[in-house]
Amino acid sequence: MNFRYSFLLLLLFLSGNAQTQQPDTFVKDNFTKKEFYIPMRDGIKLFTSVYIPKDISNKNKYPFLMQRTCYSIAPYGENEYKTKLGPNSYLMKDKYIFVFQDVRGRYMSEGTFTNMTPQVDHKTKKDVDESTDTYDTIDYLLKNIKDNNGKVGQYGTSYPGFYTAVGVLSQHPALVASSPQAPISDFWNDDFLHNGKVTLGYFRTFPVFGVQKTKPENKAWYNGSMIKATSEDGLKFYRDMGTLKDGYEKYYKDNFFLTEIMNHPDYDGFWQKRSLLPHLKNVNHAVMTVGGWFDAEDLSGPLNIYKTIEKTSPKAKNTIVMGPFSHGAWSYEQGKHFHNQIYFGDSIATYYQKNIETKFFNHYLKGDTKKDAGLPEALMYDTGAKQWKEFAAYPPKEAQKINFYLSKGTLTNRAGQGFSEYYSDPGNPVLSSDNLKDFNGFTPRNYMSEDQRFAEGRPDVLTFTTDALTDDLTFAGEIMAKLNVASTSTDADFAVKVIDIYPEDFRPAEKKEGVVYGNYHQMVRSEIMPARFRNSREKGEALVPGQKTAVNFRLQDVVHTFKKGHKIQIQISSTWFPLFAVNPQKFMENPNFATKEDYTKALIRIFDDSAIEAQVLK
């Protein structure tokens, strides 16, 4: 079992509570565990475990620190104790009333599970969603756990990050601090979809989210649907599987979640009501959103949640932290911190846990909530300079938007009049990685900073590269791809990568054995966009063969300094397999059900007035 898969299982079964090492008896020695069902306003009961400090009293009151999760609050039984509590060991030692709850339809809780439970208009007292479940849980805890101090905080990573973010909407007056970490914000562009494009690299995860239980469960009930690797060559599985349609019909025809994805290719009402962003208004307590620049699952969620609260909720104490982390990697300490093959520094997770996360919760839950915690507005790790940077606003107000035009293999400051072209064959797609073992992973992780030299030489990959930089150049903020394209086909995807090319003689101080770092092509940011959604996400629209057409989309943010002597490269292709399902390049009302007979080869042009727009710090 590889490390990445092990970590994701840890998130699934221990609800993201990886910590620095503590004695196994600390929790049992210092806390009393209680288990009970909490009734919601519609009568459904949610299973909850509470760890209460043994020294709690009327003169020594504690606040609540809560996590709601779909990933199990095991171990179950009042005599069975977790060995770690809370988001980090510092907070555990400081002691809180730690609360863990299985959400509706999961493990020991009653009800039916819904992915990204839609927010509802609370027209009656019986209308429920995750925000009302949060409210009802907080209300019950305050009334039934003696000697609490009347304050509640909440946290969670990944799906529990979503439950934290939507819990913000509960508006319970006792809720004073929330930290959504790697949260989903809009399923259309988080996790399973990127701009509506199905993330095929998540194929093995669907049993976790698409199989309903029929009775209370203290263990995973969906294990029989999990797909096991049969070869170290993970690419072979996807080659043999065929199309997305083939894989769905062979493995997951009864999986309700993949069925929902397959049947809703457009951003219709099904997806719209699962977006959290339109509801994030009038937030009036402290929110610290946390993410990782190399989070292959939920990069857009933290950025979008922070920016939305910043726009809609002036009373919120709103903070964002983005580090050089993969999904949830701030919750455990590596020592020498690498993402994939790239070294970023020492003890980075410990710095965050000790100086940021612990300070946030201790201040608002045990201190004066009317005062600011003294945290930076935006603490962002520069992944090129390899250092933390603080900003008074994010994106930084001093950043300037600059266009880098794609012309004749180079990045220039002027739009050209010609074009570059490539021949795209869905039957022979560009690979998303050359690490064949990684394709067996539960979800992809390493590709976010992977060396891209394997793709550069393909004739169906266009490259545009600067000369070696004479000064440092820092991207800080949003990146837009503004492509002008033409295709002989009626549909196409456009995958765009921003790459940092190291000098040919580069020798890092910290490295992994066997890696050639000279001329390393480190991916900094990337995204994919189906041309069908260029004008509207709500309804796909065919390309007119041969007609010049604008396809504009966000690549998500970066804070990255391209160092003097490095080069900036842009790579563009129309396939990115098996990370994303192959576009047949033939317009279909529902491309998710494309067959190989629908595959259409196409000659695709990228015109010289296309550009990458970046926010640059001068």
Side-chain angles (χ1 to χ4, degrees):
M1 183 182 293
N2 63 35
F3 175 77
R4 174 181 63 186
Y5 186 69
S6 300
F7 175 67
L8 281 167
L9 286 181
L10 187 63
L11 284 180
L12 288 173
F13 297 113
L14 297 183
S15 302
N17 289 322
Q19 312 288 333
T20 54
Q21 186 63 40
Q22 293 291 324
D24 286 346
T25 62
F26 180 86
V27 176
K28 198 164 189 177
D29 291 344
N30 289 275
F31 294 86
T32 300
K33 183 182 179 185
K34 299 292 183 183
E35 292 183 338
F36 41 80
Y37 280 94
I38 298 180
M40 301 294 105
R41 62 190 63 184
D42 63 344
I44 292 294
K45 300 179 180 68
L46 303 186
F47 191 84
T48 308
S49 65
V50 180
Y51 292 75
I52 304 169
K54 289 183 176 180
D55 62 352
I56 196 169
S57 70
N58 189 47
K59 295 182 179 180
N60 187 32
K61 296 183 178 183
Y62 284 99
F64 294 98
L65 191 49
M66 178 174 68
Q67 182 186 88
R68 304 181 65 248
T69 180
C70 59
Y71 293 143
S72 167
I73 62 171
Y76 295 95
E78 290 191 344
N79 294 321
E80 301 295 327
Y81 281 70
K82 290 179 180 289
T83 57
K84 306 290 185 287
L85 297 176
N88 70 58
S89 60
Y90 304 103
L91 288 163
M92 179 175 72
K93 288 187 291 185
D94 287 342
K95 289 192 283 191
Y96 290 75
I97 306 170
F98 291 103
V99 179
F100 303 91
Q101 185 178 78
D102 289 329
V103 298
R104 285 176 180 254
R106 299 295 283 189
Y107 291 90
M108 294 296 291
S109 284
E110 298 178 352
T112 302
F113 176 64
T114 302
N115 280 292
M116 282 287 286
T117 309
Q119 281 296 107
V120 300
D121 294 327
H122 303 135
K123 295 178 180 178
T124 74
K125 293 182 179 180
K126 295 286 185 172
D127 289 333
V128 295
D129 53 30
E130 299 301 343
S131 71
T132 63
D133 285 356
T134 303
Y135 188 101
D136 293 348
T137 299
I138 291 173
D139 224 42
Y140 183 94
L141 292 169
L142 291 167
K143 295 172 182 176
N144 290 276
I145 303 297
K146 290 177 58 178
D147 298 323
N148 68 79
N149 76 352
K151 294 181 181 180
V152 180
Q154 54 167 349
Y155 71 97
T157 297
S158 193
Y159 223 138
F162 160 72
Y163 293 118
T164 303
V166 75
V168 168
L169 303 178
S170 70
Q171 300 286 358
H172 197 290
L175 180 61
V176 297
S178 299
S179 183
Q181 303 180 8
I184 312 156
S185 64
D186 184 344
F187 250 171
W188 185 253
N189 203 31
D190 273 312
D191 280 319
F192 296 94
L193 297 166
H194 281 231
N195 292 312
K197 189 71 186 175
V198 175
T199 312
L200 190 64
Y202 283 22
F203 196 74
R204 285 180 168 85
T205 71
F206 280 101
V208 179
F209 306 102
V211 179
Q212 297 284 8
K213 68 184 180 69
T214 57
K215 60 183 179 18
E217 298 280 2
N218 61 14
K219 295 180 181 178
W221 60 95
Y222 46 76
N223 282 342
S225 301
M226 302 297 282
I227 300 171
K228 296 178 175 60
T230 58
S231 168
E232 283 191 318
D233 181 355
L235 180 60
K236 186 177 187 302
F237 169 79
Y238 289 100
R239 298 275 200 207
D240 292 347
M241 184 177 77
T243 64
L244 174 62
K245 175 179 181 291
D246 294 333
Y248 168 64
E249 293 177 346
K250 180 177 181 179
Y251 294 102
Y252 293 143
K253 199 65 182 291
D254 296 326
N255 187 289
F256 77 87
F257 183 41
L258 184 53
T259 299
E260 290 169 343
I261 289 176
M262 296 292 290
N263 291 334
H264 295 275
D266 300 331
Y267 193 66
D268 57 13
F270 178 82
W271 297 114
Q272 291 171 25
K273 67 183 182 181
R274 280 167 169 76
S275 176
L276 178 60
L277 300 175
H279 303 282
L280 285 171
K281 301 174 182 177
N282 303 315
V283 179
N284 59 9
H285 67 274
V287 180
M288 183 178 74
T289 309
V290 181
W293 288 127
F294 303 115
D295 188 343
E297 298 181 39
D298 300 300
L299 174 61
S300 65
L303 293 162
N304 288 336
I305 285 173
Y306 166 79
K307 292 176 186 177
T308 300
I309 293 175
E310 197 68 9
K311 291 178 181 177
T312 65
S313 305
K315 292 183 180 180
K317 299 178 180 67
N318 193 30
T319 299
I320 186 169
V321 181
M322 296 291 293
F325 303 114
S326 59
H327 190 63
W330 49 87
S331 64
Y332 62 95
E333 181 54 68
Q334 294 185 35
K336 300 288 184 185
H337 186 94
F338 281 80
H339 181 266
N340 194 17
Q341 298 169 340
I342 307 301
Y343 170 72
F344 289 98
D346 292 348
S347 303
I348 294 178
T350 295
Y351 171 82
Y352 157 74
Q353 291 175 16
K354 186 175 182 179
N355 299 292
I356 308 301
E357 187 173 54
T358 298
K359 183 177 181 179
F360 173 79
F361 282 119
N362 277 347
H363 175 82
Y364 289 111
L365 294 178
K366 296 183 176 182
D368 186 352
T369 56
K370 295 181 180 180
K371 294 182 179 179
D372 190 271
L375 296 171
E377 171 74 17
L379 180 65
M380 317 297 271
Y381 194 90
D382 185 323
T383 53
K386 298 184 178 177
Q387 62 185 31
W388 290 102
K389 292 184 177 178
E390 297 182 7
F391 297 101
Y394 185 82
K397 291 182 179 179
E398 62 270 28
Q400 301 177 16
K401 291 183 178 179
I402 295 179
N403 284 324
F404 296 84
Y405 290 96
L406 312 175
S407 178
K408 298 176 177 61
T410 64
L411 292 175
T412 73
N413 58 6
R414 293 184 180 180
Q417 296 182 346
F419 57 84
S420 304
E421 62 184 4
Y422 58 96
Y423 192 64
S424 178
D425 180 2
N428 183 26
V430 178
L431 297 186
S432 53
S433 171
D434 66 351
N435 188 332
L436 300 181
K437 289 184 179 180
D438 268 9
F439 294 134
N440 279 327
F442 196 61
T443 61
R445 294 172 80 83
N446 290 332
Y447 85 92
M448 292 288 284
S449 65
E450 188 175 353
D451 188 351
Q452 299 298 308
R453 279 176 284 195
F454 72 89
E456 186 176 21
R458 284 187 58 127
D460 49 359
V461 178
L462 293 182
T463 61
F464 304 89
T465 312
T466 67
D467 293 332
L469 299 177
T470 56
D471 294 293
D472 290 357
L473 183 65
T474 301
F475 286 11
E478 298 175 356
I479 301 177
M480 282 288 297
K482 301 191 296 186
L483 304 183
N484 293 306
V485 308
S487 176
T488 57
S489 63
T490 52
D491 200 5
D493 290 342
F494 292 94
V496 176
K497 306 172 189 174
V498 179
I499 296 165
D500 184 342
I501 300 180
Y502 296 8
E504 294 179 14
D505 59 352
F506 184 78
R507 299 290 186 273
E510 299 286 346
K511 59 185 179 180
K512 291 195 173 181
E513 292 299 320
V515 178
V516 178
Y517 287 96
N519 197 41
Y520 196 99
H521 285 42
Q522 182 199 332
M523 192 163 76
V524 172
R525 187 59 67 241
S526 58
E527 191 55 278
I528 192 168
M529 179 66 182
R532 64 188 293 114
F533 297 125
R534 66 195 181 277
N535 293 324
S536 170
R537 299 191 301 173
E538 286 77 14
K539 184 66 176 175
E541 180 181 345
L543 291 169
V544 178
Q547 180 174 299
K548 185 177 180 180
T549 306
V551 178
N552 300 324
F553 59 101
R554 282 181 57 189
L555 269 68
Q556 306 307 329
D557 301 32
V558 295
V559 174
H560 184 90
T561 296
F562 297 88
K563 302 290 287 183
K564 178 182 177 181
H566 290 223
K567 299 176 183 178
I568 304 172
Q569 183 177 87
I570 305 298
Q571 288 186 6
I572 299 177
S573 64
S574 287
T575 50
W576 204 7
F577 178 82
L579 181 59
F580 293 101
V582 172
N583 188 321
Q585 298 185 167
K586 166 189 173 182
F587 184 80
M588 303 175 65
E589 287 299 318
N590 191 340
N592 294 335
F593 285 95
T595 67
K596 287 196 173 181
E597 287 70 31
D598 295 312
Y599 283 7
T600 303
K601 300 174 183 179
L603 185 65
I604 296 175
R605 291 179 174 178
I606 306 293
F607 290 91
D608 289 1
D609 54 356
S610 300
I612 301 298
E613 179 189 86
Q615 293 182 279
V616 176
L617 287 178
K618 290 292 189 178

